[in-house]
């Protein structure tokens, strides 16, 4: 890397290129960074990249940035990306990683400074993280708050003490948890930190469809919102729910009154209580849903007790 007299960064050419796509197609790759909520497509620039590679990318405004390959390289028609894409400059080398480590030390110091100033100024905001650009000319301060915060005094004070251009970026609580990371009560790393690329809407209906207890402490993640994992298998539970009668519904075809007393969504079974006191477990494949919405047994089922 070299810097011109006016401070603009001159990007070196890529090395070790791969096959070039036809003129009407472009080769792109998804790069994740701390500054974006989801991976952004970049021009591969002739490099052979794999998921997990750490790279140096064009960050815009004459800046270079760190990133990690999050999505495999693909070839797409250029017409789908009419606007200029940013470019992967090179793989991160030893000197780049040393620079990253030094930046991380500066970020830790900036976090301490900012938290002290937030406390002194009594601002109703929570600092989440600080990230420096590759050139160390700008630092982005990520924070969460219930509403709007007037942080003009804070920005001026930070810029003066740290001698750097300051950007304040407010994020939601789910984005905050993604940045900080951690483990949930399942014992695994947070899904949003480990593999999720975007946040999809989560509703209480998803918990109801899975027959879960509507206990906020059990359904909420470390961010305080409904757990993202409620959505992962929701389509399966919703499909199974359509195949099974609801609890307290009557089921015909067993020569007596039968009432559903339990659903087992994982096994796709219901337990029926017969009028004589017996219990019967029936799989969804042994039930037929009539046009009226009533369920009936396809054939007599053994196993009543």
């Amino acid at each position: 890397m070299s810097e011109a007299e006016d401070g603009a960064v001159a990007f070196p050419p890529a090395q070790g290129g791969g096959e070039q796509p036809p003129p009407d197609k472009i080769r792109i790759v998804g790069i994740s960074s701390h500054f974006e909520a989801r991976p952004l497509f970049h021009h591969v620039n002739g490099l052979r990249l794999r998921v997990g590679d750490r790279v140096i990318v064009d960050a815009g405004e004459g800046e270079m940035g760190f990133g990690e390959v999050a999505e495999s390289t693909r070839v797409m028609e250029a017409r789908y990306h009419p606007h200029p894409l940013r470019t992967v400059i090179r793989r991160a080398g030893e000197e780049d990683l040393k620079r990253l480590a030094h930046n991380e030390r500066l970020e830790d110091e900036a976090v301490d400074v900012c938290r002290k100033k937030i406390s002194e100024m009594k601002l109703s905001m929570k600092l989440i993280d600080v990230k420096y650009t590759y050139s160390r000319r700008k630092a982005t301060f990520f924070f969460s708050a219930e509403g709007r915060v007037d942080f003009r005094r804070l920005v001026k004070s930070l810029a003066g003490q740290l001698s750097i251009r300051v950007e304040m970026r407010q994020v939601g609580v789910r984005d905050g948890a993604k940045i900080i990371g951690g483990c949930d009560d399942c014992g695994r790393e947070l899904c949003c930190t480990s593999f999720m690329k975007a946040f999809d809407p989560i509703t209480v209906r998803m918990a109801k469809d899975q027959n879960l207890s509507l206990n906020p402490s059990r359904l909420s993640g470390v961010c305080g919102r409904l757990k993202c994992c409620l959505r992962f298998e929701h389509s399966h539970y919703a499909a199974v729910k359509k195949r099974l009668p609801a609890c307290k519904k009557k089921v015909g075809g067993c020569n007596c009154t039968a009432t559903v007393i339990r659903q087992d969504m994982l096994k796709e079974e219901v337990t029926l209580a017969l009028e004589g006191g017996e219990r019967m477990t029936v799989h969804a494949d042994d039930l037929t849903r009539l046009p009226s919405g009533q369920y009936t047994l396809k054939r007599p089922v053994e196993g009543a007790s």
Side-chain angles (χ1 to χ4, degrees):
M1 181 192 73
S2 62
E3 295 190 9
E5 294 182 358
D6 60 356
V9 179
F11 297 147
Q15 300 177 357
E19 296 181 2
Q20 295 298 324
D24 60 337
K25 296 181 181 294
I26 54 176
R27 191 180 297 275
I28 60 176
V29 65
I31 304 294
S32 64
S33 72
H34 289 286
F35 299 98
E36 304 295 340
R38 64 182 64 191
L40 296 182
F41 286 126
H42 288 65
H43 274 296
V44 174
N45 198 23
L47 296 170
R48 295 184 182 275
L49 301 172
R50 294 184 297 179
V51 173
D53 285 348
R54 305 181 83 172
V55 294
I56 305 300
V57 300
D58 171 16
E61 300 180 353
E63 293 279 0
M64 298 168 69
F66 289 99
E68 183 174 322
V69 178
E71 298 180 5
S72 301
T73 301
R74 68 188 73 176
V75 176
M76 298 187 68
E77 295 187 22
R79 61 189 178 90
Y80 290 122
H81 294 280
H83 302 292
L85 291 176
R86 294 179 182 175
T87 303
V88 178
I89 300 170
R90 63 175 183 271
R91 288 189 183 87
E94 184 177 350
E95 291 301 319
D96 296 316
L97 296 180
K98 289 181 179 178
R99 190 180 186 91
L100 176 60
H102 183 59
N103 284 1
E104 289 175 347
R105 290 193 293 272
L106 294 176
E107 290 163 359
D108 291 340
E109 295 174 5
V111 167
D112 293 337
V113 171
C114 185
R115 284 178 176 163
K116 289 179 181 178
K117 292 187 177 297
I118 289 174
S119 178
E120 292 172 0
M121 298 180 184
K122 298 181 180 180
L123 298 175
S124 56
M125 57 190 292
K126 177 183 178 182
L127 181 67
I128 296 173
D129 202 2
V130 179
K131 290 299 174 184
Y132 274 60
T133 59
Y134 182 90
S135 64
R136 303 175 190 149
R137 291 201 296 264
K138 184 178 79 169
T140 302
F141 292 72
F142 298 90
F143 72 95
S144 62
E146 293 295 331
R148 296 177 62 87
V149 179
D150 185 356
F151 46 70
R152 288 174 293 182
R153 286 179 54 226
L154 177 63
V155 169
K156 184 176 180 180
S157 180
L158 290 172
Q161 182 166 343
L162 301 176
S163 300
I164 196 170
R165 186 155 58 94
V166 173
E167 176 186 345
M168 304 296 294
R169 186 178 299 185
Q170 185 171 354
V171 299
V173 291
R174 297 175 77 187
D175 293 290
K178 177 181 177 70
I179 294 173
I180 296 173
C183 294
D184 208 337
D185 51 15
C186 61
R188 299 177 64 90
E189 185 181 12
L190 297 180
C191 298
C192 57
T193 302
S194 57
F195 67 88
M196 286 179 60
K197 298 182 177 65
F199 292 111
D200 295 318
I202 313 293
T203 65
V204 177
R205 169 55 60 186
M206 296 177 182
K208 292 181 178 179
D209 287 343
Q210 298 176 39
N211 288 344
L212 298 176
S213 172
L214 301 183
N215 184 341
S217 63
R218 298 294 300 275
L219 297 180
S220 300
V222 297
C223 61
R225 300 292 189 266
L226 290 172
K227 292 182 178 180
C228 295
C229 56
L230 289 172
R231 187 177 184 86
F232 296 159
E233 298 176 353
H234 177 252
S235 58
H236 170 74
Y237 281 100
V240 172
K241 205 171 185 69
K242 292 180 180 179
R243 301 182 63 202
L244 297 176
C247 289
K248 299 183 180 180
K249 292 291 184 180
K250 303 295 183 181
V251 175
C254 52
N255 299 323
C256 63
T257 301
T259 305
V260 179
I261 59 173
R262 181 175 178 271
Q263 285 183 328
D264 190 324
M265 305 296 287
L266 293 178
K267 293 182 179 180
E268 301 184 24
E269 296 176 341
V270 291
T271 300
L272 304 179
L274 307 183
E275 59 184 6
E278 299 90 346
R279 298 289 187 269
M280 177 187 296
T281 300
V282 182
H283 193 272
D285 292 339
D286 296 319
L287 294 167
T288 299
R289 185 174 183 176
L290 303 176
S292 62
Q294 179 73 21
Y295 285 84
T296 183
L297 296 175
K298 292 182 179 179
R299 55 185 179 275
V301 179
E302 298 181 358
S305 60

